Amino acid sequence: MISKTQTSKKLVAWLVLSVMIFALGMPAQVAQAQSASDISGHWASEQINKWIDKGYVKGYEDGSFKPNNPITRAEFSVLVNKSFNFNETTTISFKDVSANDWFYGEMAKAKAAGYMGGYEDGTIRPNAPITRQEAATVVAKLRALEANTAAANKFTDAAMIPDWSKGFIGAVVEAKFMRGYEDGSFMPTKNITRAEAVVVLNSVAEGKKEEPKEEKVTIKDIDDQKVKVDKTEDVTVKVDPKDAKIEIKNSDDKVVKATLKDDKIELKGLKEGSAKITVTATKDGLKDAEVTFKVEVEKASTSSSSGGGGGSSSSSNRPADKTELVKAINAAEVLVPHKAEYTVETWTKFEAALTDARAINDIPRTTQSRVDEVTKALNDARVGLEKPTDPEKPDPLKDAVSTKEGVIAGTFYVKVDFPSNIKAVKLVGVDGIALSKDMEDGKFVTVPG
């Protein structure tokens, strides 16, 4: 016979789950994805796609995988069981696992394989997010690694690592199946993410050690430049991280003078010829970056006149060379249909520069300096276009206050306080229990019939 307490716990769980599903518009079931929509460019995309293809992991019906979300102990056991082909089960009697739970069989496999056990209170906490130290313990057991406390003591937060997991953490780190963070910590109680779980278990299952990712400074490529004698041009250097130290080297300072001012290089033409400018960016702890671009110095426009009152000719009487301007306009117009992909601020500057460039191009006669000016402005605006960072989607239920339960006059009730942005709630009964609801100051009260 089902007790009141068991019934109340099941009712609470199903109520909250059904509200989440209704409010977020997300089905409770997930379907296997052919490819996930939110892992392109993610550091773990290769391994995630590989495991999706093998059927080890599944994405959500909206096409996402949510690689940075935590993963529960039950979900982690599913990945282990599939990747290691664990099928043998054993009898389990954990207080928080019943034969009707979807993960019952997975927990039975985990115990039979010997990589996951319960807690002293008789639970196994299948729905709790698995932490890095718990994942390390599982990995060490899967690979039968010898405990290595000394290897764990090298971390800056070694004092925060409990004795029960320290040896396991040291073992997996020494075996290169897991590693710490750049600040020297391991963060044992931090939840491991879905992406991290896939990468770690993939390396463990295939016997491949996790090699540290190469951390380096990056410099955006710089196009070759043209500058006239006695004229100057500015080139912007874009580095990541932004606080990296920038240095330049000039192959011929008799042809062009290159001066670095913060993140800009001022190029002044001295005489006709060419030179190469090498840009180096450095930051402690990261690999250096280097790019090289060519600078062509052209002869300046000159004016000449015949002696006395004879006829004269000058550059102002000749049409300006608009070759580079036309190239800049053509390159810019390719981006016009993609306006929505860029930030309003950078697109506004780009659009204004393109309008000026078109106007100068339509003028039959103008000065070469004006043509060069708008050409440079347009190229700079095009290179400076930035795409917005996708904001994290808000969770409408993250501010749900509390769940209370009790018995009034022999009738069990549940009261859940929801944030104001929840406009509708779907109540789902379990085990034949009927539900009704009343609204009291924005709070739903559910009462079994």
Side-chain angles (χ1 to χ4, degrees):
M1 180 175 181
I2 300 176
S3 67
K4 264 316 185 188
T5 301
Q6 289 176 318
T7 303
S8 65
K9 287 182 178 178
K10 295 177 70 175
L11 179 59
V12 170
W14 275 96
L15 173 62
V16 174
L17 177 61
S18 61
V19 170
M20 289 179 68
I21 294 170
F22 190 81
L24 295 175
M26 181 186 298
Q29 296 294 324
V30 295
Q32 182 172 338
Q34 297 302 314
S35 62
S37 61
D38 56 350
I39 62 172
S40 177
H42 192 277
W43 64 270
S45 60
E46 181 180 351
Q47 292 94 330
I48 293 172
N49 279 323
K50 179 179 178 179
W51 274 41
I52 289 176
D53 291 341
K54 286 184 175 182
Y56 291 171
V57 292
K58 295 180 180 180
Y60 296 86
E61 286 191 350
D62 63 359
S64 67
F65 182 79
K66 298 178 175 56
N68 299 321
N69 279 12
I71 183 170
T72 67
R73 288 166 56 82
E75 292 168 338
F76 193 80
S77 69
V78 172
L79 301 189
V80 173
N81 293 339
K82 287 186 176 181
S83 58
F84 280 81
N85 197 30
F86 289 145
N87 295 308
E88 182 180 346
T89 62
T90 188
T91 303
I92 58 176
S93 57
F94 299 113
K95 293 179 181 179
D96 50 355
V97 178
S98 71
N100 295 325
D101 293 325
W102 69 266
F103 45 74
Y104 180 86
E106 304 299 336
M107 294 293 95
K109 293 176 186 177
K111 184 179 179 182
Y115 66 81
M116 187 178 290
Y119 294 87
E120 293 181 356
D121 62 359
T123 65
I124 197 170
R125 303 173 194 172
N127 294 314
I130 190 168
T131 63
R132 284 171 54 80
Q133 65 181 347
E134 290 173 335
T137 300
V138 170
V139 170
K141 290 180 178 179
L142 289 172
R143 300 295 294 184
L145 300 177
E146 185 177 347
N148 190 335
T149 301
N153 283 331
K154 70 178 183 179
F155 292 110
T156 57
D157 57 350
M160 303 299 294
I161 303 176
D163 292 339
W164 68 264
S165 65
K166 183 170 286 188
F168 293 125
I169 290 174
V172 298
V173 170
E174 188 69 16
K176 296 184 179 180
F177 287 124
M178 292 180 71
R179 59 192 177 92
Y181 292 91
E182 290 180 7
D183 63 358
S185 66
F186 185 81
M187 299 186 188
T189 59
K190 180 181 179 181
N191 295 333
I192 195 169
T193 67
R194 284 164 58 82
E196 290 170 336
V198 169
V199 172
V200 169
L201 290 179
N202 183 68
S203 66
V204 175
E206 296 184 354
K208 296 179 180 179
K209 312 255 175 109
E210 182 186 12
E211 298 297 335
K213 294 179 294 182
E214 184 179 54
E215 301 291 345
K216 60 183 180 179
V217 180
T218 58
I219 307 176
K220 187 172 183 179
D221 288 340
I222 301 174
D223 295 333
D224 291 342
Q225 303 292 312
K226 287 185 178 182
V227 61
K228 295 187 180 299
V229 174
D230 294 329
K231 299 293 183 181
T232 60
E233 297 286 347
D234 288 338
V235 176
T236 300
V237 181
K238 293 189 175 183
V239 299
D240 183 31
K242 293 183 179 180
D243 61 346
K245 181 181 179 181
I246 303 173
E247 296 179 333
I248 60 174
K249 184 177 179 181
N250 185 356
S251 68
D252 195 337
D253 55 10
K254 293 181 179 179
V255 172
V256 61
K257 179 182 179 181
T259 305
L260 178 65
K261 297 180 179 179
D262 297 325
D263 63 344
K264 293 186 183 297
I265 303 174
E266 182 184 87
L267 303 172
K268 182 176 182 180
L270 302 179
K271 70 175 185 178
E272 288 184 84
S274 63
K276 290 184 178 180
I277 307 297
T278 300
V279 183
T280 303
T282 60
K283 182 175 174 61
D284 290 343
L286 303 181
K287 185 178 179 180
D288 299 348
E290 181 179 288
V291 298
T292 300
F293 64 95
K294 184 179 180 181
V295 180
E296 289 282 353
V297 180
E298 301 174 337
K299 184 178 180 180
S301 300
T302 59
S303 60
S304 63
S305 62
S306 59
S312 65
S313 64
S314 68
S315 60
S316 62
N317 292 325
R318 296 192 301 271
D321 182 0
K322 298 181 180 179
T323 303
E324 295 301 320
L325 175 61
V326 172
K327 289 182 180 179
I329 292 175
N330 290 339
E333 288 181 337
V334 172
L335 301 176
V336 172
H338 305 284
K339 176 179 179 179
E341 299 177 12
Y342 300 96
T343 62
V344 174
E345 181 182 359
T346 59
W347 185 265
T348 300
K349 293 179 180 178
F350 168 74
E351 203 167 39
L354 179 57
T355 299
D356 289 345
R358 286 168 172 166
I360 293 299
N361 191 44
D362 291 339
I363 297 175
R365 288 184 179 275
T366 185
T367 63
Q368 186 66 49
S369 61
R370 180 58 176 153
V371 171
D372 293 342
E373 179 185 348
V374 296
T375 301
K376 180 180 182 303
L378 180 55
N379 283 331
D380 288 348
R382 175 174 57 82
V383 172
L385 285 172
E386 296 180 354
K387 295 187 177 182
T389 303
D390 292 333
E392 185 177 350
K393 294 182 179 179
D395 180 357
L397 286 179
K398 71 177 182 179
D399 295 323
V401 178
S402 62
T403 300
K404 302 177 182 179
E405 56 184 277
V407 176
I408 295 179
T411 302
F412 170 74
Y413 76 94
V414 175
K415 182 164 66 176
V416 182
D417 297 345
F418 298 101
S420 59
N421 61 332
I422 302 300
K423 303 301 182 184
V425 174
K426 180 180 180 181
L427 304 180
V428 178
V430 294
D431 294 342
I433 299 176
L435 302 178
S436 63
K437 60 182 178 181
D438 299 313
M439 175 70 81
E440 296 180 358
D441 299 326
K443 301 173 183 178
F444 288 91
V445 179
T446 68
V447 183

